[in-house]
Amino acid sequence: MPAQTALPEPLRARPVPRPGRWVSGAIVLVLAAMVVNALVTNPNFRWDTVWLYLRDVNVVRGVGWTLVLTFGSMAIAVVLAVLLAVMRRSDNPVMRWVAWCYIWFFRGTPIYTQLVFWGLISVLYPRLSLGVPFGPELLVFDTRTVITAFWAALVGLALNEAAYLAEIVRAGLGSVDAGQAEAARALGMPESKILRRIVLPQAMRVIVPPTGNETISMLKTTSLVVAVPFTLEITYATSAIGSRTFEPIPLLIVAALWYLLITSVLMVGQHYLERYYGRGVAGGPGGRRRNRRPSRQAAIRAAGTTRDDPFAEVTP
Amino acid sequence: MSDVQATPMVEARGVHKVFGHGAEGLHVLRGVDLAVPRGSVTVILGPSGSGKSTLLRCLNELEQITAGSVHVDGELLGYREDAQGVLHRLHPTRIAAQRSRIGMVFQRFHLFGHLTALENVMEAPVQVRGLSKRAARTRALELLDRVGLTDRVEHYPAQLSGGQQQRVAIARALAMDPELMLFDEPTSALDPELVGEVLTVMQDLAASGMTMVVVTHEIGFAREVADHVVFMDDGAIVEQGPPAEVLDRPSEPRLQEFLAHVL
């Protein structure tokens, strides 16, 4: 029997009636409209005040400081986290133990408490000195001038975040098939290059989504630096205006709207990062397992090395 | 000169490998002696669990041997023996340098998933040899052409069929100009119709004079390409010799049984 190549008339059929979908959709839409209505029409929210202070110079400056704290602490935290994750995988038991203790301590105590302590560091240690333990001092600093409120806030946030990120990086490194490192080893690549060139880039696919999550979380956590106290970021800036003008609610909304806007921008950035690190993975970025096989299948077919039989299951 | 020619490319003596420690340790290799002459093709056959893959992995230090010695190109692998006969473990960078002269092809390809076929082949020459990107690229394109993949250079591994991935893996190993190529069941993960393309590339490679050690179940390949066939069982070499002898007139009952199952 000759193979049929011309596509016949595609099947046309009436869909299954699903009245439940329409009803549930309508109910949810009505509920959503009620929420929007309650927000927009309530005069207590003072939307005119919100709009006015949204562009206030102190508020915008607060946004700037919040961004500096967020990205600064995340940058430090990422570097530290990779270091900690590598230490946890080290053959050296001292390295493993120190990394474990670091993560145990910084995840195990509240960030607020940690920030208070960083704020108090100049009281606890008025002088910072570099030297031999129990021996002579080589370099001496006055703590107050070296660690200002800003640096205390930045370092406090970074050290705490590094502990969480270290676990994310460790999970990412563990997700890369051991065969990748082995193949690189067989080619004569040194271990440091295997990590940097082969394992880490592939681990990024697993590391980026939760790290994006952590960044968004960090954006809001920066409001806790009032514990240091550092008082220039957006939450403190807006609440200061709010208590001065006796309008706390509209200014809370101002801060919330700014957080929402920055989060939206971050989500876009995360999308592109995920796409970049998802390259080479069948099923595209995110690589949902469900999608994986068909696209692998399609790729193999497209490669044209297999027999031209649409019913052949090709397992790569 | 004749002395250099006489030194085998690979010389394994009394190799033992135990995984784990003490009484629970798994004794996988039990005193293997193997000599692979330069430019020859040695095929290692044996039932699964016979230690043939482990032996191969010991030939480039992916596994550290428990006892015995492995020389590749006259050089002791993994150790340095001083004048008093004391062994010193080599620094990892020295071991990496030794490995860089030995190519390895894996059953499951292990192509770098985040790099294209071309980048996969370029990676080691650039990162290990310090070759310029331009030179590495030219060489990589040559090698990909040699394995018949000129039109797939920009594809990622996931976009290639198993046979194509394995051919890229061979090109990747060849990019380091190895003097020895190890193949660990290179066709076992492939669909039957894709086995041929990989075996053809290996056959061409053998014809070009490359020293090869191949762990495989492809008896046909052993018969046609191998100079020397080694049959392993239970961690030891049971029988070895030219393919015509070992495959057609096996003397060991265990080999006879194995061949009866495979053929």
Side-chain angles (χ1 to χ4, degrees), chain A residues 188-204:
Chain A
M189 284 176 80
E191 294 297 323
S192 57
K193 271 195 177 148
I194 294 175
L195 179 73
R196 220 177 57 231
R197 301 271 320 169
I198 306 299
V199 178
L200 213 44
Q202 297 189 73
M204 288 305 275

Side-chain angles (χ1 to χ4, degrees), chain B residues 19-215:
Chain B
F19 286 106
H21 299 283
E24 290 121 67
L26 194 62
H27 203 160
V28 177
L29 295 179
R30 300 162 183 270
V32 174
D33 295 299
L34 179 72
V36 178
R38 277 160 209 281
S40 74
V41 177
T42 299
V43 167
I44 305 178
L45 300 174
S48 52
S50 59
K52 52 196 193 307
S53 283
T54 305
L55 174 62
L56 199 73
R57 293 162 59 81
C58 287
L59 299 185
N60 71 345
E61 274 283 323
L62 281 183
E63 300 292 352
Q64 211 173 318
I65 61 175
T66 312
S69 68
V70 177
H71 285 80
V72 172
D73 195 19
E75 193 180 321
L76 182 60
L77 221 55
Y79 300 92
R80 176 176 60 81
E81 197 173 0
D82 66 18
Q84 280 76 43
V86 180
L87 281 184
H88 299 264
R89 183 77 183 148
L90 286 182
H91 191 270
T93 55
R94 275 296 304 147
I95 293 175
Q98 288 183 332
R99 281 194 192 117
S100 71
R101 291 151 50 206
I102 304 165
M104 180 133 186
V105 175
F106 298 87
Q107 182 179 357
R108 303 216 63 94
F109 331 132
H110 297 326
L111 287 182
F112 304 135
H114 61 308
L115 303 177
T116 62
L118 181 65
E119 289 166 341
N120 260 279
V121 182
M122 287 169 62
E123 182 70 7
V126 172
Q127 295 300 324
V128 179
R129 285 279 150 77
L131 212 64
S132 75
K133 282 222 167 139
R134 181 193 293 259
R137 192 187 155 84
T138 312
R139 174 91 174 108
L141 287 171
E142 265 170 42
L143 287 165
L144 286 168
D145 182 43
R146 185 166 163 191
V147 298
L149 288 172
T150 318
D151 52 343
R152 295 279 179 269
V153 294
E154 297 298 342
H155 285 56
Y156 285 99
Q159 299 168 318
L160 298 171
S161 73
Q164 292 172 335
Q165 287 189 60
Q166 194 60 298
R167 286 187 279 152
V168 174
I170 293 172
R172 177 176 70 173
L174 289 176
M176 291 299 282
D177 297 314
E179 45 203 12
L180 168 67
M181 284 283 284
L182 308 174
F183 294 83
D184 188 5
E185 303 202 27
T187 57
S188 298
L190 298 178
D191 289 304
E193 74 268 28
L194 304 179
V195 168
E197 57 187 80
V198 171
L199 291 182
T200 308
V201 168
M202 289 169 62
Q203 201 159 357
D204 291 347
L205 194 58
S208 76
M210 175 65 75
T211 313
M212 292 163 58
V213 181
V214 185
V215 170

Side-chain angles (χ1 to χ4, degrees), chain A residues 1 7 21 40 51 61 64 78 98 125 133 140 183 195 210 228-229 248 256 258 293 300-301:
Chain A
M1 205 176 101
L7 183 69
R21 277 189 180 176
V40 174
W51 179 241
R61 195 177 293 147
V78 164
V98 166
Y125 297 96
V140 182
L195 179 73
V228 169
W258 271 110
R293 259 191 78 80
I300 292 162
R301 292 257 168 64

Side-chain angles (χ1 to χ4, degrees), chain A residues 146-161:
Chain A
V146 177
I147 302 182
T148 59
F150 169 73
W151 285 105
L154 189 73
V155 168
L157 291 171
L159 293 190
N160 178 263
E161 184 58 34

Side-chain angles (χ1 to χ4, degrees), chain B residues 245-259:
Chain B
E245 213 167 275
V246 174
L247 297 175
D248 297 331
R249 292 183 296 281
S251 53
E252 270 286 324
R254 274 184 289 178
L255 176 54
Q256 287 163 2
E257 195 190 337
F258 174 77
L259 290 173

